[in-house]
Amino acid sequence: MFDHGQPSYADVNKDIISTMLETGPKYWTLLGITVSVAGICFFMPWFYQLIVGVGAAGMNRNAVWGSYLSNFIFWIGLSHSGTLLSAVLHITNSPWRKAIYRSAEAMTLFSLMTAAMFVMVHLGRVWFVHWSFPIPNQMGLWPNFRSPLMFDVMAITTYLTASSIFIYMGSVPDFAAVRDASTGLRRRLYTIFSFGWRGTAREWHTLGWAYTFFAVFVIPLAVSVHSIVSWDFALSAVPGFHHTIFAPYFVTGAIYSGTAGIVTVMYCLRKFLNFERYIGQVHLDSLGKLLITLSLIWTYINILELFSTWYGGTSFELEALSFKLTGFYAPLYWEMLLFCAFVPLLMLFKKIRWSWNKMLVISILINIGMLTERFIIVATSQPRKFLPGAFGYYVPSWIEFSITVGSFAIFATLFLIFIKWVPAISLYEVKETLRPLRRDA
Amino acid sequence: MSTIVEKLRQYSKPGYYDKFDYHWTMTIDLDRCTGCEACVVACQAENNLPIVGEERFAENREIKWIRIERYWEGEYPDIKMGFIPMLCQQCDDAPCETACPVYATYHNQDGLNTQIYNRCIGTRTCAVYCPYEVRYFNWFTYTWDEPLEQQLNPDVTVREKGVMEKCTFCIQRIRIAKDNAKDDNRRRVRDGEVVPACVQSCPTEALVFGNSNDPEAKVSKMMKSPRGYKVLEELHTTPSIVYLTKVQS
Amino acid sequence: MAAIAGPAINKMSKISRRDLLQFIGAGGVGVAGGILYGEGVQRNVEFLIPQVVPPEDYSPGVATWYNTVCNQCSAGCGISVRIREGKAKKIEGNPVHPVSQGRLCARGQAGLNVLYNPDRIRTPLQNAAQRGSGNYAEISWDEALTTLGSRIGRLKIEGKAGRVRLLTGRTRGHLDELFAQFMGLLGSEHYQQYDFTYPAAIRAANRISFGVDQLPYYDIKHADFLLSFGADYLGTWLSPVHHSLAYGHLRQGRQGRRGKTVQIEPRMSLSGAAADEWIAARPGTEGLLALGIAHALVNAGNYLGSDRDEWSIALEAYSPSTVSAETDVSEESIVRLATEFSAPGTSLAIAGGATAAGTNAVASVVAVNALNYLAGNLGQRGGVIFNSDPAFSATAGSRQAGLRGMLDLVEAMEAGDVEVLLVHDTNPVYALPENVRFRRAMENVPLIVALSSFHDETTAMADFILPTNTYLESWGDDVPDPGVGFPVASISQPVVAKLYDTLAVGDIILLLARRIGGELPIRLHWATMEEFIKERWREEYELRSAAGEDQDFEAFWRASLEAGVWGQPGAATGDESVPSSSSMIASITDPVSKFAGSESDYPFVLHPYLTATFTDGRGANLPWLQELPDPMTSVVYGSWAELNPVTADELGIREGDILEVESPAGSIRVPALIFPAIRPGVIAIPIGQGHSAYGRYASDRGVNPIHIVATQVDDQSGDLAWAATRVRIKRTGERLRIIKTDGVTRTLGRQILGPKNDHA
């Protein structure tokens, strides 16, 4: 399980908690970069857009939805493997999950937050975004519960809440460990965070029970979230959106990109926080196998989508199909197929699956492919709707590119802050995987 | 308690499923339409549509509540042109209405698909869902070069950035007609009393507007024409606009 | 402190779990009851009611409607302007006016853009630097009028009043009379008009064929078969709104009877798109085609006149087979058209557009007139109805200079014979070929005065610009030309208070007369244009009161003002006598167009065409019209050159390739647009753009094809033959994105134009 020999319990505490307590200049530099990139690439263009109007972006009459929405789906998708994977693996008792699930769950949380930012950026009048929540008001106005966007608001807030509770609950014993290892203000803070955790058998029992309960609860929620996101599209009559396969398609895509995201995050944790002892080849190999499976399912659904479009045979569907395969955005479509359907097949070779560097490249390519997949869904369908007279195309503006780049910086910033506040690897669950200590060891 | 029961009944049966006084309907006779676009300017004048400028046109961000679409048929020399005015079809089963998360677009009792600018938060979902692409988004806040703003119709709101807008069947004119009817103690507006700007201007009288709940209205008679059809009928949006197809000789 | 708090805490601690549960239970029931009660008694919540549905007590303001006359083109439609709080809000057709009948075209409605145009000239201006530099200093009216008055007055005293010239656009009604009187009293006979769109050829042809010097009423409304030779009657020809109304009636206005229309033109216009049959005859041969049809008609025995044989002889040279070879229209088509044209029911042939703008323009229209004669359409319902004498001011159009008159003017200016040039409502620098060198000739004129609401290419040469009221701020009257078959006159009144320090043209002339002195102020004694118009109408009223007007004049005046129009629908139409056949036979000449440029050097025919929005370029400064997609191509903001797809393919030209279009007279650079309904070998370029100084919306946008038209005169009318120029095209290698609103212009088999039109 461990590449460099088994650590002791004390080692585990020391290794992991030290990453939180000792902050070097490298960390501050990195944080400084991500914060400024987020500020310059995301917030400044966004404020500019708030002042002049959404027209600052490239969307037009032919495509009123653009990259903001495709990025939103991308980030929601990326959120998937965290909590979902963690929960599934918890229930199926997969021991290899334990080293990775904390950061995976954090990824969920932060991608959801980033996704929520894109909703804000997308809206024409974001200053009224609260109207989409059922807040009682003197006019007696309620949101429209028939709207798939309303479903979205509900699903995402529920998912965000559940994911937050899930990650927090799993972290309580670790907060206690941090409390015990620290002094001063930090100690007092973690005393509060840890809810007075003492590690009694009863507490462990309750935690185990609650955790499993939440794991079961979160799985359908995760599936529902992306299904509902897909309904934003599938419930319209737009050719290219109107597919019954969309819900499983989105969910698969989400898990797929999320799993690839985990590989990327794992690599970074290993590299920068020196977690080699805890994140090992086993994890990589398992994730690789999972990725191949997901890639095959994803490819299958894609073929199915093309087939059913072709089989539909109406002028609307065929036009949407030909535009996707040969139109303005066709290069992006083929790029997506290359990165998401063909490149992952390389992982069939164990040599590749076992190489951290190669897996990093593949995981990043998969996510680039998935980012374009979402863009293609949004951008190729709308300009080819029903009336040929209104056909057109849409090209993102530099503001959209900038905000897309900035969103990664926001995500990175949140993650960097996270690793200083929460143990990035679950202390107690790693300890569970250690062989029982023998007196002579 | 009885009020609660009443309320429940009301909730389970939203108002617009009832048959009300009016169901505003338009017929467009393509055999008369010459594509002259008088209606387009009439609408622009009546409804305070912005002058967006060349750059916005280049970006495909124009705002024209009514537009003429043109479709060629055949090749030179046997070539024909078909014009079709395209405006909000005021669908009875409007895809846009279910899309809006905040009820900024809803169905009113006259069968109109109304857009409430104040309530719109700019998700643009309605525009995606609309098969007729007649919803126009305010990508910017448009201004008028002084003194062009003096022309703005005081009965119609000027829209700001981030808001969706579309044809209202000149709801302000409907209001005025209803107001006049009320003042005259008439229960209903007379046929022909409400004339949207596009219908009013049409030099070939291709557009006819009226209340199709009134079997005597001109529009009700026009609707019965064997040439009548609805655009993209197969999507079952049940539009309130009936087109009369051009006679092919 | 602790002692006091102690017992309380003790007491609290005595609450048992059961009590607590009871409290919670009771509390819960209470809250639930409260909510239910609250829901029950709550006032009914209204639906969200924002501006789109104002609440019941909201009373929309009351608008005032004023009737006046549209001045956007020469049709003379009556309009109603909606006024709220002293501002004009909307223009609609005047329902009682016989020309517009409540309808109005895009251009007429954009009249508000004229009134509220940000580029209007707001004060009198005097040139402050070199001519044409655009540097003007603001001066007062008094200063301007005094300077001009003394300058012209001196010329008059010196007996050189003939060196004063007045050039206007298409002035009609009593303003025209005022101009004429003013110039007459001054002692100058040089009062001319130049309007690019004036149908001089039709007028000349009617004089030749029918001996009637007027534009007759073409009764499209009641025609069963309409044969149009190049006349875009729905877009630009004579009276588009009126024709559109008639067209609607022709198609669907009669139970069980749908009129048929055929359009003959090299490039499909709006009327071509509406037609059942569109025939692209070889450019310049449309008149020939008319004679071919006439030949077939006579030969088929469908002409029943006694002089059938004479007609046969006269038309002998135009057998369908000969004509077919010349016109590139099949023999069968010619014969079929002849049959349909003479079939029972009413038929009507009209000519205009490029057909009436070749070097053979008049001959072509004469041929079409002959066709109408042979089918017995003259004076018939659904045919050509001659107008009675207009209500007043019969001079409409007779002062049109045409190209010949303008060449004379240029010559005079170049010779230094023109001392003062007064220009109003016309833009010859724009609307004449560059070869005419109007602008250069203007440099020889010591004093140019422009009476205009806007800066344009011609006013840019002016030393003084006297800002005029727009037509929505002016008094005036008008007689529509062509008329509607009975006497009609419209009154134009100011619908809003004037916006700036401007004056109505008539008022300027009256004021100027006072400054010039002599007998002018005595004869032109009216204080204002309003007074002048009213007095003239009083005279007309008195003249006609014998004919049965039973009100007093004031009542009549008020009623006329309110209605905006006065007419005598019952009055007899014009001359119903059918013109003599022999003179018609004699009038027929070979309608062959001479194109400038040889076919080998210049393989393409240039087809400049008027658009319904800009016509001769006047509409280009109106933002609503710039933003109105061209009806046939959906292009906005710019010019383009239309090519047949096959031609474009052969030359490897794609949409947006900038072409250099070169004629013997000059060249322009314009992006190509592939247009499926244009004859191969023809390049069509819309007229109207390409202004160099016409305000922010029009300037430096597109090209002006009139500038490269060769200076050829149609001999019989003296007008510019603007459709008789050949060009060659060259790809420059540069590209420009043509801005248009259309995506794909094929239905792709979708049910859009109706179930029966399901075509791919």
Side-chain angles (χ1 to χ4, degrees):
Chain A
M1 183 115 218
F2 296 97
D3 294 354
H4 305 281
Q6 171 165 321
S8 69
Y9 285 177
D11 286 344
V12 173
N13 271 14
K14 202 177 107 241
D15 282 354
I16 296 171
I17 296 179
S18 72
T19 62
M20 298 170 60
L21 302 181
E22 296 154 18
T23 306
K26 210 163 115 189
Y27 174 84
W28 287 115
T29 321
L30 206 59
L31 188 65
I33 292 173
T34 57
V35 168
S36 36
V37 170
I40 294 169
C41 293
F42 190 95
F43 288 101
M44 278 166 60
W46 183 28
F47 287 144
Y48 170 71
Q49 182 186 296
L50 283 178
I51 293 163
V52 301
V54 194
M59 286 159 272
N60 56 23
R61 202 160 76 70
N62 308 118
V64 288
W65 281 352
S67 70
Y68 294 150
L69 222 56
S70 69
N71 282 337
F72 162 76
I73 313 168
F74 172 77
W75 283 108
I76 294 266
L78 207 56
S79 79
H80 259 61
S81 269
T83 304
L84 182 64
L85 208 64
S86 165
V88 171
L89 295 179
H90 177 76
I91 291 167
T92 54
N93 259 328
S94 310
W96 61 273
R97 123 185 213 280
K98 303 196 177 207
I100 58 168
Y101 84 89
R102 177 71 46 75
S103 37
E105 286 174 13
M107 207 173 89
T108 296
L109 211 54
F110 301 141
S111 346
L112 276 176
M113 290 177 180
T114 317
M117 288 306 290
F118 272 107
V119 174
M120 308 284 171
V121 176
H122 171 82
L123 285 186
R125 300 206 298 173
V126 67
W127 46 96
F128 293 128
V129 68
H130 56 278
W131 285 349
S132 56
F133 295 100
I135 303 166
N137 55 61
Q138 80 274 28
M139 299 182 87
L141 270 171
W142 288 96
N144 179 2
F145 289 98
R146 295 180 302 168
S147 162
L149 268 75
M150 201 58 234
F151 308 169
D152 242 12
V153 170
M154 297 298 156
I156 290 169
T157 45
T158 313
Y159 189 48
L160 190 65
T161 317
S163 300
S164 311
I165 296 172
F166 195 52
I167 189 173
Y168 193 92
M169 204 162 58
S171 306
V172 167
D174 287 359
F175 285 145
V178 180
R179 174 194 63 196
D180 297 341
S182 54
T183 52
L185 178 66
R186 191 187 293 266
R187 190 187 175 89
R188 273 195 284 172
L189 265 174
Y190 280 93
T191 309
I192 298 168
F193 288 168
S194 57
F195 289 149
W197 176 272
R198 283 173 298 157
T200 61
R202 195 182 134 85
E203 282 173 348
W204 281 111
H205 176 79
T206 312
L207 177 71
W209 175 84
Y211 198 73
T212 309
F213 168 79
F214 250 91
V216 174
F217 177 67
V218 149
I219 294 169
L221 208 58
V223 171
S224 80
V225 167
H226 228 60
S227 303
I228 286 171
V229 168
S230 82
W231 293 342
D232 286 353
F233 301 90
L235 287 185
S236 76
V238 178
F241 283 176
H242 192 58
H243 289 292
T244 45
I245 194 78
F246 253 40
Y249 180 33
F250 271 49
V251 172
T252 310
I255 301 171
Y256 186 29
S257 73
T259 310
I262 289 174
V263 172
T264 315
V265 170
M266 292 289 105
Y267 181 93
C268 297
L269 287 177
R270 211 177 114 93
K271 185 94 185 160
F272 299 116
L273 299 179
N274 305 315
F275 285 166
E276 285 94 344
R277 275 159 80 172
Y278 308 100
I279 303 171
Q281 294 300 352
V282 178
H283 303 118
L284 192 62
D285 188 51
S286 308
L287 284 171
K289 286 174 185 161
L290 187 59
L291 274 177
I292 296 175
T293 318
L294 288 167
S295 127
L296 291 175
I297 299 174
W298 182 88
T299 311
Y300 168 73
I301 293 180
N302 253 288
I303 294 168
L304 202 67
E305 195 202 346
L306 294 183
F307 171 78
S308 64
T309 307
W310 168 81
Y311 189 73
T314 63
S315 164
F316 314 127
E317 297 286 349
L318 293 179
E319 177 65 32
L321 184 67
S322 84
F323 187 65
K324 186 147 92 176
L325 299 184
T326 59
F328 189 69
Y329 289 114
L332 283 183
Y333 182 79
W334 298 107
E335 173 256 7
M336 169 196 90
L337 277 192
L338 179 69
F339 288 174
C340 294
F342 296 108
V343 169
L345 295 180
L346 290 173
M347 286 186 295
L348 288 171
F349 303 102
K350 191 170 181 181
K351 221 168 115 187
I352 288 172
R353 226 161 50 226
W354 279 64
S355 156
W356 276 100
N357 289 333
K358 286 173 188 142
M359 283 296 280
L360 174 74
V361 172
I362 291 178
S363 73
I364 290 177
L365 287 184
I366 290 175
N367 262 321
I368 292 176
M370 290 310 290
L371 188 68
T372 36
E373 185 227 38
R374 274 63 186 256
F375 182 76
I376 286 165
I377 290 174
V378 172
T380 64
S381 304
Q382 292 173 77
R384 290 289 183 280
K385 274 159 77 176
F386 294 99
L387 297 177
F391 283 1
Y393 62 95
Y394 139 75
V395 185
S397 73
W398 65 268
I399 283 187
E400 290 174 78
F401 283 111
S402 171
I403 284 181
T404 307
V405 171
S407 68
F408 285 92
I410 291 182
F411 178 76
T413 307
L414 290 171
F415 213 93
L416 282 174
I417 295 169
F418 163 79
I419 57 172
K420 288 294 159 190
W421 285 92
V422 184
I425 291 180
S426 171
L427 296 171
Y428 68 94
E429 294 214 28
V430 166
K431 286 176 193 162
E432 281 173 17
T433 64
L434 301 182
R435 281 189 299 278
L437 289 179
R438 274 174 296 172
R439 208 167 283 277
D440 56 329
Chain B
M1 210 57 188
S2 64
T3 41
I4 295 173
V5 173
E6 222 168 78
K7 238 177 186 209
L8 282 174
R9 197 173 291 148
Q10 193 185 325
Y11 288 144
S12 66
K13 193 180 180 193
Y16 53 84
Y17 293 126
D18 282 335
K19 197 171 173 181
F20 275 86
D21 282 0
Y22 303 104
H23 187 273
W24 299 116
T25 304
M26 189 186 282
T27 60
I28 299 178
D29 188 344
L30 299 183
D31 204 28
R32 282 176 183 255
C33 177
T34 63
C36 73
E37 299 194 325
C39 49
V40 182
V41 176
C43 179
Q44 178 143 22
E46 175 73 16
N47 291 304
N48 298 342
L49 301 192
I51 295 159
V52 299
E54 183 176 9
E55 206 184 318
R56 303 286 162 256
F57 266 97
E59 295 163 350
N60 271 357
R61 284 168 173 172
E62 74 274 12
I63 296 181
K64 300 271 184 223
W65 288 3
I66 180 169
R67 62 171 191 267
I68 307 286
E69 294 209 340
R70 45 195 72 68
Y71 295 104
W72 292 107
E73 179 196 353
E75 291 298 341
Y76 179 88
D78 295 315
I79 185 155
K80 284 228 158 71
M81 164 70 95
F83 293 109
I84 175 165
M86 192 48 67
L87 62 160
C88 177
Q89 307 283 308
Q90 312 284 358
C91 308
D92 280 351
D93 297 318
C96 56
E97 284 170 11
T98 56
C100 182
V102 294
Y103 269 127
T105 178
Y106 76 103
H107 216 73
N108 84 355
Q109 299 191 349
D110 290 0
L112 294 185
N113 189 281
T114 54
Q115 176 73 23
I116 308 163
Y117 311 126
N118 287 350
R119 181 67 174 170
C120 180
I121 60 171
T123 70
R124 314 195 277 288
T125 319
C126 49
V128 173
Y129 283 27
C130 174
Y132 306 96
E133 314 213 29
V134 287
R135 293 182 151 266
Y136 297 87
F137 188 66
N138 282 274
W139 299 102
F140 302 95
T141 297
Y142 296 100
T143 52
W144 281 260
D145 290 338
E146 186 270 330
L148 281 170
E149 81 287 344
Q150 296 194 15
Q151 178 274 325
L152 295 180
N153 186 351
D155 297 337
V156 178
T157 327
V158 173
R159 285 76 58 183
E160 71 157 0
K161 70 185 174 201
V163 170
M164 191 62 72
E165 62 181 66
K166 64 162 197 79
C167 162
T168 63
F169 266 177
C170 285
I171 195 162
Q172 65 279 8
R173 293 186 176 212
I174 297 176
R175 279 306 306 171
I176 291 170
K178 282 184 176 175
D179 232 41
N180 292 343
K182 195 183 72 181
D183 291 350
D184 297 355
N185 278 326
R186 278 181 282 132
R187 171 153 158 71
R188 287 195 191 147
V189 165
R190 270 190 234 104
D191 187 34
E193 206 174 340
V194 184
V195 189
C198 52
V199 177
Q200 196 286 327
S201 73
C202 182
T204 56
E205 299 177 318
L207 279 60
V208 174
F209 181 83
N211 171 20
S212 62
N213 278 355
D214 170 11
E216 291 308 304
K218 189 177 175 197
V219 75
S220 307
K221 290 173 182 155
M222 296 292 289
M223 278 167 74
K224 293 195 189 101
S225 160
R227 293 187 289 130
Y229 75 100
K230 292 175 177 177
V231 171
L232 300 175
E233 209 161 7
E234 63 269 43
L235 298 176
H236 195 74
T237 51
T238 50
S240 293
I241 296 187
V242 177
Y243 290 87
L244 308 185
T245 181
K246 192 174 173 72
V247 177
Q248 300 290 313
S249 46
Chain C
M1 200 66 175
I4 301 164
I9 291 168
N10 284 342
K11 208 176 177 185
M12 282 295 286
S13 66
K14 275 185 192 155
I15 293 170
S16 69
R17 183 186 296 168
R18 176 181 297 229
D19 289 339
L20 183 72
L21 286 176
Q22 279 170 354
F23 284 143
I24 292 175
V29 169
V31 167
I35 290 173
L36 282 176
Y37 174 75
E39 272 296 300
V41 300
Q42 197 183 26
R43 197 168 52 83
N44 254 353
V45 177
E46 300 266 329
F47 290 106
L48 175 74
I49 299 176
Q51 273 93 328
V52 276
V53 189
E56 207 57 42
D57 53 1
Y58 170 83
S59 168
V62 178
T64 321
W65 294 82
Y66 289 104
N67 291 328
T68 182
V69 187
C70 183
N71 191 30
Q72 290 281 75
C73 78
S74 51
C77 291
I79 52 173
S80 294
V81 187
R82 177 172 184 249
I83 306 292
R84 278 281 296 268
E85 289 88 37
K87 310 271 184 246
K89 299 296 175 189
K90 180 126 197 325
I91 302 182
E92 293 181 356
N94 178 355
V96 300
H97 198 283
V99 176
S100 54
Q101 295 171 35
R103 310 291 159 162
L104 203 59
C105 69
R107 209 166 159 221
Q109 300 192 66
L112 294 172
N113 279 181
V114 175
L115 177 65
Y116 293 123
N117 200 300
D119 295 320
R120 275 186 63 183
I121 304 172
R122 305 180 182 200
T123 50
L125 300 172
Q126 183 177 16
N127 192 8
Q130 205 195 339
R131 236 184 214 176
S133 66
N135 277 326
Y136 284 98
E138 293 183 3
I139 54 170
S140 71
W141 273 107
D142 196 50
E143 207 180 333
L145 290 173
T146 311
T147 317
L148 294 177
S150 63
R151 190 95 176 251
I152 298 171
R154 202 178 320 128
L155 282 176
K156 183 171 155 55
I157 291 162
E158 289 166 8
K160 290 186 196 157
R163 293 166 69 83
V164 180
R165 296 205 176 208
L166 173 62
L167 184 65
T168 73
R170 48 169 180 244
T171 315
R172 293 197 303 234
H174 283 113
L175 182 61
D176 178 52
E177 192 201 318
L178 183 68
F179 279 144
Q181 280 204 30
F182 174 80
M183 292 304 281
L185 290 168
L186 201 61
S188 168
E189 55 205 16
H190 300 298
Y191 165 35
Q192 282 177 308
Q193 301 184 345
Y194 178 70
D195 179 8
F196 180 84
T197 61
Y198 188 76
I202 299 175
R203 194 164 167 146
N206 289 351
R207 202 164 47 227
I208 293 167
S209 308
F210 311 135
V212 197
D213 190 14
Q214 56 152 255
L215 297 174
Y217 178 64
Y218 294 99
D219 191 8
I220 293 170
K221 185 173 181 177
H222 298 110
D224 288 320
F225 184 77
L226 176 65
L227 185 57
S228 164
F229 292 87
D232 181 13
Y233 57 96
L234 295 174
T236 54
W237 189 71
L238 299 186
S239 192
V241 173
H242 190 82
H243 297 325
S244 295
L245 267 162
Y247 171 81
H249 189 267
L250 172 143
R251 287 299 201 200
Q252 291 294 333
R254 299 166 292 189
Q255 204 65 43
R257 232 167 107 205
R258 179 180 184 269
K260 181 181 174 176
T261 70
V262 176
Q263 186 83 4
I264 296 155
E265 59 192 359
R267 179 252 174 205
M268 190 184 276
S269 65
L270 264 191
S271 312
D276 298 295
E277 205 176 334
W278 173 73
I279 299 169
R282 186 170 287 136
T285 64
E286 293 89 349
L288 214 56
L289 182 60
L291 291 180
I293 296 170
H295 179 106
L297 191 154
V298 173
N299 268 25
N302 288 327
Y303 173 59
L304 301 172
S306 54
D307 49 355
R308 204 177 141 242
D309 297 336
E310 283 130 74
W311 275 102
S312 264
I313 295 159
L315 296 169
E316 200 172 10
Y318 308 102
S319 70
S321 56
T322 335
V323 169
S324 170
E326 284 284 319
T327 57
D328 196 21
V329 177
S330 74
E331 221 178 306
E332 302 83 75
S333 294
I334 296 172
V335 174
R336 183 172 46 78
L337 285 176
T339 319
E340 286 182 78
F341 196 72
S342 52
T346 50
S347 64
L348 174 63
I350 55 177
T355 303
T359 55
N360 59 344
V362 174
S364 298
V365 183
V366 164
V368 174
N369 284 347
L371 206 51
N372 274 327
Y373 173 81
L374 291 172
N377 300 337
L378 299 184
Q380 297 299 314
R381 196 177 142 94
V384 182
I385 296 168
F386 295 105
N387 276 307
S388 58
D389 283 341
F392 51 74
S393 189
T395 58
S398 62
R399 293 184 196 277
Q400 285 293 334
L403 178 62
R404 198 172 283 148
M406 292 309 272
L407 286 172
D408 290 345
L409 177 61
V410 167
E411 202 176 298
M413 288 196 291
E414 277 175 345
D417 290 342
V418 181
E419 187 94 18
V420 179
L421 180 65
L422 302 168
V423 189
H424 166 63
D425 191 33
T426 184
N427 188 359
V429 175
Y430 176 88
L432 277 173
E434 215 147 44
N435 269 0
V436 176
R437 297 196 305 272
F438 195 87
R439 191 172 190 278
R440 234 181 57 197
M442 282 175 96
E443 282 167 16
N444 287 340
V445 181
L447 180 65
I448 299 174
V449 182
L451 294 85
S452 175
S453 297
F454 297 99
H455 288 286
D456 60 27
E457 290 78 2
T458 304
T459 61
M461 295 295 291
D463 302 292
F464 286 91
I465 302 180
L466 305 182
T468 54
N469 290 351
T470 60
Y471 66 100
L472 295 174
E473 302 159 301
S474 307
W475 282 98
D477 54 10
D478 187 38
V479 175
D481 181 39
V484 290
F486 56 85
V488 171
S490 334
I491 306 184
S492 161
Q493 59 177 323
V495 296
V496 288
K498 65 181 183 183
L499 266 65
Y500 307 113
D501 187 15
T502 56
L503 285 174
V505 194
D507 291 341
I508 296 177
I509 293 296
L510 292 173
L511 285 172
L512 198 57
R514 224 164 297 160
R515 306 290 164 117
I516 292 167
E519 59 177 334
L520 268 88
I522 302 159
R523 297 283 296 277
L524 302 177
H525 56 85
W526 306 278
T528 59
M529 188 67 184
E530 180 187 1
E531 207 174 286
F532 172 63
I533 297 277
K534 199 171 169 183
E535 188 174 312
R536 279 288 181 271
W537 275 64
R538 188 190 297 274
E539 285 164 17
E540 294 292 333
Y541 169 78
E542 277 157 11
L543 210 70
R544 290 173 188 272
S545 59
E549 299 281 355
D550 49 359
Q551 336 150 261
D552 68 333
F553 173 70
E554 284 303 325
F556 165 76
W557 175 246
R558 261 200 312 280
S560 302
L561 263 187
E562 232 167 77
V565 62
W566 167 88
Q568 274 183 315
T573 55
D575 193 2
E576 294 203 8
S577 63
V578 173
S580 87
S581 195
S582 57
S583 72
M584 294 224 29
I585 293 172
S587 70
I588 286 175
T589 51
D590 206 17
V592 182
S593 188
K594 290 192 296 293
F595 282 87
S598 68
E599 193 163 352
S600 52
D601 284 350
Y602 299 96
F604 292 94
V605 170
L606 176 68
H607 178 75
Y609 64 92
L610 294 166
T611 62
T613 44
F614 303 145
T615 55
D616 60 345
R618 281 165 211 248
N621 67 339
L622 311 181
W624 286 352
L625 298 184
Q626 283 284 359
E627 299 216 332
L628 193 66
D630 176 73
M632 294 302 289
T633 61
S634 88
V635 182
V636 290
Y637 282 113
S639 289
W640 63 93
E642 289 162 15
L643 274 103
N644 184 286
V646 178
T647 316
D649 254 9
E650 281 166 9
L651 300 171
I653 293 169
R654 285 176 303 154
E655 178 182 317
D657 281 343
I658 295 187
L659 306 177
E660 182 161 336
V661 181
E662 193 188 346
S663 80
S667 76
I668 47 176
R669 291 155 67 89
V670 56
L673 181 77
I674 314 302
F675 188 73
I678 184 169
R679 196 183 151 83
V682 178
I683 305 282
I685 303 177
I687 295 168
Q689 299 277 25
H691 286 276
S692 59
Y694 196 31
R696 69 191 71 179
Y697 301 109
S699 294
D700 306 319
R701 171 163 288 145
V703 296
N704 176 10
I706 304 175
H707 275 178
I708 62 163
V709 166
T711 318
Q712 291 193 96
V713 186
D714 168 29
D715 281 330
Q716 286 166 286
S717 69
D719 207 5
L720 172 64
W722 48 261
T725 306
R726 286 188 158 276
V727 291
R728 58 179 167 226
I729 57 173
K730 203 170 73 197
R731 257 181 29 211
T732 58
E734 289 164 57
R735 290 180 59 76
L736 182 85
R737 195 179 140 211
I738 293 181
I739 303 171
K740 50 182 195 172
T741 60
D742 264 353
V744 170
T745 49
R746 300 274 170 173
T747 57
L748 308 175
R750 303 180 181 188
Q751 187 258 89
I752 295 168
L753 295 176
K756 279 168 218 139
N757 282 36
D758 224 3
H759 41 65

